[in-house]
PDB file of all heavy atoms in Angstrom:
ATOM      1  N   THR A 161     -10.555   4.213  19.286  1.00 92.00           N
ATOM      2  CA  THR A 161      -9.197   4.141  19.693  1.00 92.00           C
ATOM      3  C   THR A 161      -9.222   3.789  21.146  1.00 92.00           C
ATOM      4  O   THR A 161     -10.038   4.301  21.894  1.00 92.00           O
ATOM      5  CB  THR A 161      -8.409   5.445  19.441  1.00 92.00           C
ATOM      6  OG1 THR A 161      -8.219   6.102  20.697  1.00 92.00           O
ATOM      7  CG2 THR A 161      -9.056   6.365  18.511  1.00 92.00           C
ATOM      8  N   HIS A 205      -8.308   1.993   9.103  1.00 98.00           N
ATOM      9  CA  HIS A 205      -7.657   2.961  10.005  1.00 98.00           C
ATOM     10  C   HIS A 205      -7.361   4.273   9.185  1.00 98.00           C
ATOM     11  O   HIS A 205      -7.456   4.336   7.969  1.00 98.00           O
ATOM     12  CB  HIS A 205      -6.273   2.509  10.440  1.00 98.00           C
ATOM     13  CG  HIS A 205      -6.346   1.599  11.587  1.00 98.00           C
ATOM     14  ND1 HIS A 205      -7.054   1.840  12.739  1.00 98.00           N
ATOM     15  CD2 HIS A 205      -5.702   0.410  11.866  1.00 98.00           C
ATOM     16  CE1 HIS A 205      -6.861   0.867  13.588  1.00 98.00           C
ATOM     17  NE2 HIS A 205      -6.060  -0.012  13.116  1.00 98.00           N
ATOM     18  N   THR A 206      -7.185   5.307   9.975  1.00 98.00           N
ATOM     19  CA  THR A 206      -6.814   6.657   9.356  1.00 98.00           C
ATOM     20  C   THR A 206      -5.834   6.603   8.195  1.00 98.00           C
ATOM     21  O   THR A 206      -6.067   7.198   7.187  1.00 98.00           O
ATOM     22  CB  THR A 206      -6.404   7.600  10.476  1.00 98.00           C
ATOM     23  OG1 THR A 206      -7.452   7.778  11.391  1.00 98.00           O
ATOM     24  CG2 THR A 206      -5.960   8.977   9.885  1.00 98.00           C
ATOM     25  N   SER A 273       6.197   7.674   5.310  1.00 98.00           N
ATOM     26  CA  SER A 273       6.077   6.758   6.423  1.00 98.00           C
ATOM     27  C   SER A 273       5.411   7.395   7.598  1.00 98.00           C
ATOM     28  O   SER A 273       5.600   8.625   7.786  1.00 98.00           O
ATOM     29  CB  SER A 273       7.468   6.264   6.830  1.00 98.00           C
ATOM     30  OG  SER A 273       7.382   5.423   7.982  1.00 98.00           O
ATOM     31  N   GLY A 274       4.643   6.574   8.268  1.00 98.00           N
ATOM     32  CA  GLY A 274       3.920   7.116   9.551  1.00 98.00           C
ATOM     33  C   GLY A 274       3.275   6.001  10.342  1.00 98.00           C
ATOM     34  O   GLY A 274       3.361   4.864   9.972  1.00 98.00           O
ATOM     35  N   SER A 275       2.627   6.448  11.363  1.00 98.00           N
ATOM     36  CA  SER A 275       1.819   5.586  12.313  1.00 98.00           C
ATOM     37  C   SER A 275       2.709   5.012  13.484  1.00 98.00           C
ATOM     38  O   SER A 275       2.145   4.559  14.488  1.00 98.00           O
ATOM     39  CB  SER A 275       1.150   4.374  11.614  1.00 98.00           C
ATOM     40  OG  SER A 275       0.334   4.782  10.609  1.00 98.00           O
ATOM     41  N   ALA A 276       4.001   4.983  13.248  1.00 98.00           N
ATOM     42  CA  ALA A 276       4.968   4.575  14.270  1.00 98.00           C
ATOM     43  C   ALA A 276       6.273   5.156  13.927  1.00 98.00           C
ATOM     44  O   ALA A 276       6.473   5.599  12.815  1.00 98.00           O
ATOM     45  CB  ALA A 276       5.025   3.016  14.205  1.00 98.00           C
ATOM     46  N   PRO A 277       7.198   5.228  14.911  1.00 97.00           N
ATOM     47  CA  PRO A 277       8.505   5.851  14.676  1.00 97.00           C
ATOM     48  C   PRO A 277       9.302   5.056  13.631  1.00 97.00           C
ATOM     49  O   PRO A 277       9.423   3.854  13.661  1.00 97.00           O
ATOM     50  CB  PRO A 277       9.258   5.836  15.992  1.00 97.00           C
ATOM     51  CG  PRO A 277       8.318   5.182  17.019  1.00 97.00           C
ATOM     52  CD  PRO A 277       7.132   4.745  16.300  1.00 97.00           C
ATOM     53  N   LEU A 278       9.828   5.807  12.653  1.00 98.00           N
ATOM     54  CA  LEU A 278      10.788   5.213  11.671  1.00 98.00           C
ATOM     55  C   LEU A 278      12.129   5.394  12.205  1.00 98.00           C
ATOM     56  O   LEU A 278      12.561   6.488  12.466  1.00 98.00           O
ATOM     57  CB  LEU A 278      10.655   6.030  10.318  1.00 98.00           C
ATOM     58  CG  LEU A 278      11.461   5.510   9.162  1.00 98.00           C
ATOM     59  CD1 LEU A 278      10.790   4.281   8.603  1.00 98.00           C
ATOM     60  CD2 LEU A 278      11.609   6.516   8.124  1.00 98.00           C
ATOM     61  N   GLU A 296       8.765  11.301   6.488  1.00 98.00           N
ATOM     62  CA  GLU A 296       8.076  10.937   7.714  1.00 98.00           C
ATOM     63  C   GLU A 296       7.123  11.957   8.161  1.00 98.00           C
ATOM     64  O   GLU A 296       7.438  13.138   8.209  1.00 98.00           O
ATOM     65  CB  GLU A 296       9.040  10.496   8.821  1.00 98.00           C
ATOM     66  CG  GLU A 296       8.280   9.920   9.975  1.00 98.00           C
ATOM     67  CD  GLU A 296       9.149   9.327  11.137  1.00 98.00           C
ATOM     68  OE1 GLU A 296      10.364   9.484  11.098  1.00 98.00           O
ATOM     69  OE2 GLU A 296       8.515   8.703  12.028  1.00 98.00           O
ATOM     70  N   ARG A 297       5.942  11.493   8.450  1.00 98.00           N
ATOM     71  CA  ARG A 297       4.875  12.401   9.000  1.00 98.00           C
ATOM     72  C   ARG A 297       4.322  11.803  10.291  1.00 98.00           C
ATOM     73  O   ARG A 297       4.496  10.617  10.591  1.00 98.00           O
ATOM     74  CB  ARG A 297       3.842  12.789   7.948  1.00 98.00           C
ATOM     75  CG  ARG A 297       3.119  11.530   7.355  1.00 98.00           C
ATOM     76  CD  ARG A 297       2.360  10.821   8.365  1.00 98.00           C
ATOM     77  NE  ARG A 297       1.559   9.649   8.013  1.00 98.00           N
ATOM     78  CZ  ARG A 297       0.858   8.969   8.922  1.00 98.00           C
ATOM     79  NH1 ARG A 297       0.957   9.252  10.201  1.00 98.00           N
ATOM     80  NH2 ARG A 297       0.142   7.965   8.568  1.00 98.00           N
ATOM     81  N   TYR A 298       3.522  12.609  11.036  1.00 98.00           N
ATOM     82  CA  TYR A 298       2.965  12.193  12.312  1.00 98.00           C
ATOM     83  C   TYR A 298       1.499  12.598  12.418  1.00 98.00           C
ATOM     84  O   TYR A 298       1.084  13.643  11.943  1.00 98.00           O
ATOM     85  CB  TYR A 298       3.838  12.887  13.395  1.00 98.00           C
ATOM     86  CG  TYR A 298       3.229  13.012  14.746  1.00 98.00           C
ATOM     87  CD1 TYR A 298       2.747  11.998  15.549  1.00 98.00           C
ATOM     88  CD2 TYR A 298       3.073  14.403  15.320  1.00 98.00           C
ATOM     89  CE1 TYR A 298       2.188  12.217  16.762  1.00 98.00           C
ATOM     90  CE2 TYR A 298       2.640  14.619  16.526  1.00 98.00           C
ATOM     91  CZ  TYR A 298       2.132  13.532  17.305  1.00 98.00           C
ATOM     92  OH  TYR A 298       1.611  13.679  18.572  1.00 98.00           O
ATOM     93  N   GLY A 299       0.729  11.657  12.961  1.00 98.00           N
ATOM     94  CA  GLY A 299      -0.726  11.957  13.169  1.00 98.00           C
ATOM     95  C   GLY A 299      -1.292  11.045  14.134  1.00 98.00           C
ATOM     96  O   GLY A 299      -0.611  10.303  14.841  1.00 98.00           O
ATOM     97  N   MET A 300      -2.626  11.181  14.312  1.00 98.00           N
ATOM     98  CA  MET A 300      -3.355  10.391  15.315  1.00 98.00           C
ATOM     99  C   MET A 300      -4.731  10.232  14.795  1.00 98.00           C
ATOM    100  O   MET A 300      -5.313  11.069  14.032  1.00 98.00           O
ATOM    101  CB  MET A 300      -3.506  11.246  16.628  1.00 98.00           C
ATOM    102  CG  MET A 300      -2.550  11.016  17.645  1.00 98.00           C
ATOM    103  SD  MET A 300      -2.994  11.902  19.089  1.00 98.00           S
ATOM    104  CE  MET A 300      -3.841  10.732  20.022  1.00 98.00           C
ATOM    105  N   THR A 301      -5.480   9.210  15.241  1.00 97.00           N
ATOM    106  CA  THR A 301      -6.887   9.005  14.833  1.00 97.00           C
ATOM    107  C   THR A 301      -7.701  10.239  15.171  1.00 97.00           C
ATOM    108  O   THR A 301      -8.516  10.674  14.361  1.00 97.00           O
ATOM    109  CB  THR A 301      -7.413   7.756  15.551  1.00 97.00           C
ATOM    110  OG1 THR A 301      -6.601   6.648  15.181  1.00 97.00           O
ATOM    111  CG2 THR A 301      -8.897   7.493  15.138  1.00 97.00           C
ATOM    112  N   GLU A 302      -7.545  10.820  16.390  1.00 98.00           N
ATOM    113  CA  GLU A 302      -8.323  11.939  16.751  1.00 98.00           C
ATOM    114  C   GLU A 302      -8.002  13.241  16.008  1.00 98.00           C
ATOM    115  O   GLU A 302      -8.822  14.114  15.990  1.00 98.00           O
ATOM    116  CB  GLU A 302      -8.029  12.264  18.284  1.00 98.00           C
ATOM    117  CG  GLU A 302      -8.584  11.251  19.228  1.00 98.00           C
ATOM    118  CD  GLU A 302      -7.603  10.120  19.642  1.00 98.00           C
ATOM    119  OE1 GLU A 302      -6.772   9.791  18.800  1.00 98.00           O
ATOM    120  OE2 GLU A 302      -7.712   9.625  20.763  1.00 98.00           O
ATOM    121  N   VAL A 320       9.656  14.315  12.763  1.00 98.00           N
ATOM    122  CA  VAL A 320       8.382  14.179  12.028  1.00 98.00           C
ATOM    123  C   VAL A 320       8.012  15.476  11.290  1.00 98.00           C
ATOM    124  O   VAL A 320       6.896  15.706  10.777  1.00 98.00           O
ATOM    125  CB  VAL A 320       7.230  13.694  12.937  1.00 98.00           C
ATOM    126  CG1 VAL A 320       7.459  12.302  13.363  1.00 98.00           C
ATOM    127  CG2 VAL A 320       7.029  14.601  14.173  1.00 98.00           C
ATOM    128  N   THR A 378      -2.127  15.314  22.957  1.00 97.00           N
ATOM    129  CA  THR A 378      -1.952  14.067  22.166  1.00 97.00           C
ATOM    130  C   THR A 378      -1.489  12.926  23.023  1.00 97.00           C
ATOM    131  O   THR A 378      -1.649  11.740  22.592  1.00 97.00           O
ATOM    132  CB  THR A 378      -0.845  14.306  21.091  1.00 97.00           C
ATOM    133  OG1 THR A 378       0.363  14.631  21.745  1.00 97.00           O
ATOM    134  CG2 THR A 378      -1.221  15.404  20.121  1.00 97.00           C
ATOM    135  N   GLY A 379      -0.840  13.151  24.155  1.00 95.00           N
ATOM    136  CA  GLY A 379      -0.245  12.008  24.885  1.00 95.00           C
ATOM    137  C   GLY A 379       1.170  11.711  24.408  1.00 95.00           C
ATOM    138  O   GLY A 379       1.784  10.787  24.942  1.00 95.00           O
ATOM    139  N   ASP A 380       1.618  12.409  23.364  1.00 97.00           N
ATOM    140  CA  ASP A 380       2.964  12.145  22.900  1.00 97.00           C
ATOM    141  C   ASP A 380       3.852  13.279  23.442  1.00 97.00           C
ATOM    142  O   ASP A 380       3.481  14.428  23.522  1.00 97.00           O
ATOM    143  CB  ASP A 380       2.991  12.216  21.319  1.00 97.00           C
ATOM    144  CG  ASP A 380       2.320  11.081  20.724  1.00 97.00           C
ATOM    145  OD1 ASP A 380       2.517   9.975  21.132  1.00 97.00           O
ATOM    146  OD2 ASP A 380       1.473  11.345  19.878  1.00 97.00           O
ATOM    147  N   ILE A 392       9.555  13.507  18.248  1.00 98.00           N
ATOM    148  CA  ILE A 392       8.794  12.797  19.270  1.00 98.00           C
ATOM    149  C   ILE A 392       9.838  11.971  20.085  1.00 98.00           C
ATOM    150  O   ILE A 392      10.548  11.157  19.562  1.00 98.00           O
ATOM    151  CB  ILE A 392       7.806  11.822  18.576  1.00 98.00           C
ATOM    152  CG1 ILE A 392       6.821  12.634  17.806  1.00 98.00           C
ATOM    153  CG2 ILE A 392       7.014  11.058  19.698  1.00 98.00           C
ATOM    154  CD1 ILE A 392       5.866  11.791  16.948  1.00 98.00           C
ATOM    155  N   GLY A 394       8.941  10.477  23.232  1.00 93.00           N
ATOM    156  CA  GLY A 394       8.382   9.420  24.084  1.00 93.00           C
ATOM    157  C   GLY A 394       6.883   9.522  24.168  1.00 93.00           C
ATOM    158  O   GLY A 394       6.284  10.381  23.387  1.00 93.00           O
ATOM    159  N   ARG A 395       6.209   8.781  24.992  1.00 91.00           N
ATOM    160  CA  ARG A 395       4.770   8.837  25.176  1.00 91.00           C
ATOM    161  C   ARG A 395       4.415   8.981  26.632  1.00 91.00           C
ATOM    162  O   ARG A 395       4.957   8.273  27.469  1.00 91.00           O
ATOM    163  CB  ARG A 395       4.147   7.574  24.629  1.00 91.00           C
ATOM    164  CG  ARG A 395       4.352   7.406  23.121  1.00 91.00           C
ATOM    165  CD  ARG A 395       3.793   6.115  22.657  1.00 91.00           C
ATOM    166  NE  ARG A 395       4.448   5.678  21.386  1.00 91.00           N
ATOM    167  CZ  ARG A 395       4.895   4.550  21.141  1.00 91.00           C
ATOM    168  NH1 ARG A 395       4.758   3.554  21.932  1.00 91.00           N
ATOM    169  NH2 ARG A 395       5.443   4.269  19.958  1.00 91.00           N
ATOM    170  N   LYS A 397       1.445   8.319  27.396  1.00 89.00           N
ATOM    171  CA  LYS A 397       0.424   7.289  27.505  1.00 89.00           C
ATOM    172  C   LYS A 397       1.143   5.936  27.411  1.00 89.00           C
ATOM    173  O   LYS A 397       2.105   5.780  26.755  1.00 89.00           O
ATOM    174  CB  LYS A 397      -0.543   7.424  26.351  1.00 89.00           C
ATOM    175  CG  LYS A 397       0.013   7.600  24.985  1.00 89.00           C
ATOM    176  CD  LYS A 397      -0.987   8.094  23.924  1.00 89.00           C
ATOM    177  CE  LYS A 397      -0.255   8.349  22.616  1.00 89.00           C
ATOM    178  NZ  LYS A 397      -1.075   9.075  21.619  1.00 89.00           N
ATOM    179  N   LEU A 399       1.352   2.955  25.835  1.00 94.00           N
ATOM    180  CA  LEU A 399       0.910   2.438  24.509  1.00 94.00           C
ATOM    181  C   LEU A 399       2.048   1.765  23.846  1.00 94.00           C
ATOM    182  O   LEU A 399       3.181   2.076  23.955  1.00 94.00           O
ATOM    183  CB  LEU A 399       0.479   3.654  23.644  1.00 94.00           C
ATOM    184  CG  LEU A 399       0.321   3.512  22.126  1.00 94.00           C
ATOM    185  CD1 LEU A 399      -0.781   2.669  21.821  1.00 94.00           C
ATOM    186  CD2 LEU A 399       0.184   4.868  21.434  1.00 94.00           C
ATOM    187  N   ILE A 401       3.118   0.304  20.059  1.00 97.00           N
ATOM    188  CA  ILE A 401       2.746   0.366  18.609  1.00 97.00           C
ATOM    189  C   ILE A 401       3.487  -0.803  17.881  1.00 97.00           C
ATOM    190  O   ILE A 401       4.712  -0.801  17.767  1.00 97.00           O
ATOM    191  CB  ILE A 401       3.074   1.716  17.963  1.00 97.00           C
ATOM    192  CG1 ILE A 401       2.418   2.834  18.700  1.00 97.00           C
ATOM    193  CG2 ILE A 401       2.503   1.699  16.488  1.00 97.00           C
ATOM    194  CD1 ILE A 401       2.560   4.229  18.079  1.00 97.00           C
ATOM    195  N   GLY A 404       2.489  -0.757  13.408  1.00 97.00           N
ATOM    196  CA  GLY A 404       1.473   0.305  13.123  1.00 97.00           C
ATOM    197  C   GLY A 404       0.160   0.128  13.765  1.00 97.00           C
ATOM    198  O   GLY A 404      -0.707   1.036  13.700  1.00 97.00           O
ATOM    199  N   TYR A 405      -0.033  -0.989  14.446  1.00 97.00           N
ATOM    200  CA  TYR A 405      -1.316  -1.163  15.250  1.00 97.00           C
ATOM    201  C   TYR A 405      -1.049  -0.785  16.701  1.00 97.00           C
ATOM    202  O   TYR A 405       0.004  -1.172  17.268  1.00 97.00           O
ATOM    203  CB  TYR A 405      -1.674  -2.577  15.181  1.00 97.00           C
ATOM    204  CG  TYR A 405      -2.323  -3.022  13.894  1.00 97.00           C
ATOM    205  CD1 TYR A 405      -2.121  -4.306  13.478  1.00 97.00           C
ATOM    206  CD2 TYR A 405      -3.082  -2.221  13.152  1.00 97.00           C
ATOM    207  CE1 TYR A 405      -2.614  -4.820  12.221  1.00 97.00           C
ATOM    208  CE2 TYR A 405      -3.632  -2.606  11.913  1.00 97.00           C
ATOM    209  CZ  TYR A 405      -3.373  -3.929  11.467  1.00 97.00           C
ATOM    210  OH  TYR A 405      -3.876  -4.339  10.273  1.00 97.00           O
ATOM    211  N   ASN A 406      -2.028  -0.050  17.253  1.00 95.00           N
ATOM    212  CA  ASN A 406      -1.801   0.370  18.681  1.00 95.00           C
ATOM    213  C   ASN A 406      -2.387  -0.732  19.707  1.00 95.00           C
ATOM    214  O   ASN A 406      -3.426  -1.290  19.450  1.00 95.00           O
ATOM    215  CB  ASN A 406      -2.650   1.612  18.959  1.00 95.00           C
ATOM    216  CG  ASN A 406      -2.041   2.834  18.391  1.00 95.00           C
ATOM    217  OD1 ASN A 406      -1.053   2.696  17.610  1.00 95.00           O
ATOM    218  ND2 ASN A 406      -2.570   3.965  18.676  1.00 95.00           N
ATOM    219  N   TYR A 408      -3.038  -1.134  23.742  1.00 94.00           N
ATOM    220  CA  TYR A 408      -2.987  -0.577  25.044  1.00 94.00           C
ATOM    221  C   TYR A 408      -2.760  -1.629  26.102  1.00 94.00           C
ATOM    222  O   TYR A 408      -3.655  -2.558  26.222  1.00 94.00           O
ATOM    223  CB  TYR A 408      -4.263   0.297  25.314  1.00 94.00           C
ATOM    224  CG  TYR A 408      -4.176   1.621  24.618  1.00 94.00           C
ATOM    225  CD1 TYR A 408      -4.521   1.835  23.281  1.00 94.00           C
ATOM    226  CD2 TYR A 408      -3.648   2.721  25.302  1.00 94.00           C
ATOM    227  CE1 TYR A 408      -4.394   2.966  22.706  1.00 94.00           C
ATOM    228  CE2 TYR A 408      -3.434   3.912  24.663  1.00 94.00           C
ATOM    229  CZ  TYR A 408      -3.821   4.049  23.350  1.00 94.00           C
ATOM    230  OH  TYR A 408      -3.690   5.274  22.741  1.00 94.00           O
TER     231      TYR A 408
HETATM  232  P1  AMP B 602      -3.568   6.032  16.567  1.00 62.66           P
HETATM  233  O1  AMP B 602      -4.177   6.117  17.937  1.00 62.66           O
HETATM  234  O2  AMP B 602      -3.597   4.627  15.980  1.00 62.66           O
HETATM  235  O3  AMP B 602      -4.067   7.055  15.720  1.00 62.66           O
HETATM  236  O4  AMP B 602      -2.015   6.273  16.842  1.00 62.66           O
HETATM  237  C1  AMP B 602      -1.530   7.524  17.067  1.00 62.66           C
HETATM  238  C2  AMP B 602      -0.168   7.430  17.665  1.00 62.66           C
HETATM  239  O5  AMP B 602       0.815   6.873  16.742  1.00 62.66           O
HETATM  240  C3  AMP B 602       0.359   8.819  17.974  1.00 62.66           C
HETATM  241  O6  AMP B 602      -0.118   9.409  19.143  1.00 62.66           O
HETATM  242  C4  AMP B 602       1.848   8.561  18.057  1.00 62.66           C
HETATM  243  O7  AMP B 602       2.171   8.086  19.311  1.00 62.66           O
HETATM  244  C5  AMP B 602       2.033   7.466  16.993  1.00 62.66           C
HETATM  245  N1  AMP B 602       2.628   7.926  15.733  1.00 62.66           N
HETATM  246  C6  AMP B 602       1.993   8.248  14.534  1.00 62.66           C
HETATM  247  N2  AMP B 602       2.943   8.573  13.641  1.00 62.66           N
HETATM  248  C7  AMP B 602       4.132   8.583  14.206  1.00 62.66           C
HETATM  249  C8  AMP B 602       5.479   8.850  13.853  1.00 62.66           C
HETATM  250  N3  AMP B 602       5.766   9.249  12.578  1.00 62.66           N
HETATM  251  N4  AMP B 602       6.492   8.752  14.746  1.00 62.66           N
HETATM  252  C9  AMP B 602       6.176   8.321  16.016  1.00 62.66           C
HETATM  253  N5  AMP B 602       4.963   8.011  16.464  1.00 62.66           N
HETATM  254  C10 AMP B 602       3.951   8.191  15.593  1.00 62.66           C
END
Side-chain angles (χ1 to χ4, degrees):
T161 105
H205 278 313
T206 295
S273 176
S275 308
L278 182 79
E296 185 171 8
R297 57 63 177 176
Y298 156 59
M300 268 185 93
T301 302
E302 288 93 330
V320 292
T378 61
D380 293 310
I392 300 176
R395 297 179 200 131
K397 49 194 174 192
L399 163 70
I401 306 184
Y405 288 144
N406 288 7
Y408 279 87

